[in-house]
Amino acid sequence: MIISGFQKLTLLDYPNKTACLLFTQGCNFKCPFCHNKSLLENSSSNEVIDEEEIFKYLDKRKNVLDGVCISGGEPLLQKNIEIFIKKIKEKGFLVKLDTNGSFPGKLKWLIDNNLVDYVAMDIKNNFFNYKSASGIENNNIENIKKSISILENSNIEHEFRTTVVKEIHDLEQIESICKYIGVNTKYYLQNFEDNGTVLQKGLSGFEKKELQNIVNKLKNTYPNIEVR
């Protein structure tokens, strides 16, 4: 595992749980609004945190933390993530995985082997406009669809989420995502905020009222849509 970030405590990333948060290095997307551009490439200039440091910390926090959140980058790019997660589970912690959904085979294996307890999957845009949000030309949309299906047919807790950008998303696109995932799954809109380190300049989030109006228009049909 190439781990380039470690937050020792988060009360926000794992719903209703106390957790720590790991950031893995490397991603197969180049989302223009990405806040973690330092994690996109396997750069030797980035700090690499030894796995043993993580495990030692977990041993000390067994009575404090409920779980471990694994984010990125894209965690499922990591070749030995299965072994790493298994060690976490053996210590008695829950595991939440953040993923872009582009590795359905690995996702299914983790679920089938009881190695993840909660999955948050990013849906970048509707399938006709994925490039605008993923930043790459050749998105394998079938893999995205497979990951959605795997989660919806699993017994583990999961959510879908979209970071919404005014220059990229609109009501019609968000409604299209809602239609595809259906009415039963938690779906969160996360408003883009420019922290000054994003890949593309000139992007902006929605006004709070604008975003709430989008949710209000969809809420009757898709009751599980929320602004986070």
Side-chain angles (χ1 to χ4, degrees):
M1 287 280 288
I2 304 175
I3 303 168
S4 291
F6 180 32
Q7 183 177 327
K8 293 185 176 181
L9 179 64
T10 174
L11 303 177
L12 301 175
D13 291 272
Y14 197 139
N16 303 313
K17 304 294 182 185
T18 302
C20 63
L21 175 60
L22 311 179
F23 295 94
T24 63
Q25 186 75 37
C27 190
N28 55 328
F29 285 2
K30 297 291 184 290
C31 304
F33 47 84
C34 181
H35 287 163
N36 293 330
K37 68 178 182 179
S38 64
L39 298 175
L40 296 184
E41 302 293 343
N42 289 320
S43 172
S44 59
S45 64
N46 287 317
E47 176 189 12
V48 175
I49 299 168
D50 193 291
E51 291 180 19
E52 288 307 313
E53 180 182 335
I54 305 296
F55 295 136
K56 287 178 182 178
Y57 176 77
L58 292 178
D59 286 337
K60 293 177 182 177
R61 309 299 283 177
K62 279 186 177 180
N63 297 321
V64 178
L65 297 178
D66 300 310
V68 178
C69 302
I70 304 176
S71 189
E74 171 50 50
L76 295 185
L77 281 171
Q78 303 294 320
K79 292 181 180 179
N80 61 343
I81 190 171
E82 301 95 333
I83 298 170
F84 181 75
I85 292 178
K86 187 175 182 181
K87 290 179 180 178
I88 295 173
K89 295 289 289 180
E90 287 173 348
K91 292 180 180 295
F93 292 95
L94 300 170
V95 172
K96 173 181 176 278
L97 174 72
D98 293 345
T99 181
N100 62 26
S102 55
F103 298 96
K106 190 173 279 190
L107 176 63
K108 187 175 188 304
W109 192 93
L110 290 173
I111 292 172
D112 289 347
N113 286 274
N114 301 312
L115 291 179
V116 289
D117 302 283
Y118 194 108
V119 175
M121 176 180 159
D122 291 305
I123 301 178
K124 302 297 181 180
N125 206 339
N126 68 5
F127 300 138
F128 299 104
N129 296 280
Y130 230 76
K131 174 188 170 184
S132 67
S134 70
I136 61 171
E137 288 283 344
N138 300 312
N139 295 280
N140 190 328
I141 297 301
E142 289 307 308
N143 278 347
I144 304 299
K145 290 179 178 179
K146 285 178 184 177
S147 290
I148 292 171
S149 178
I150 287 166
L151 289 173
E152 291 188 326
N153 288 287
S154 73
N155 292 320
I156 68 164
E157 286 192 89
H158 61 277
E159 66 181 58
F160 300 112
R161 59 195 187 185
T162 300
T163 298
V164 288
V165 182
K166 200 165 187 179
E167 290 77 13
I168 296 175
H169 302 93
D170 58 27
L171 170 62
E172 183 179 349
Q173 292 166 358
I174 295 168
E175 184 175 18
S176 179
I177 296 170
C178 289
K179 286 180 180 178
Y180 190 84
I181 63 177
V183 300
N184 296 319
T185 304
K186 290 179 285 187
Y187 179 47
Y188 295 101
L189 302 183
Q190 301 178 160
N191 203 14
F192 168 75
E193 293 183 9
D194 189 350
N195 67 352
T197 65
V198 296
L199 289 179
Q200 182 177 316
K201 302 298 182 183
L203 300 177
S204 56
F206 287 82
E207 295 293 330
K208 185 176 180 180
K209 185 176 180 180
E210 290 177 316
L211 193 54
Q212 192 59 53
N213 283 340
I214 290 174
V215 170
N216 291 343
K217 288 177 181 178
L218 298 171
K219 191 75 171 172
N220 285 340
T221 305
Y222 305 100
N224 287 320
I225 186 173
E226 301 283 351
V227 175
R228 173 177 282 158

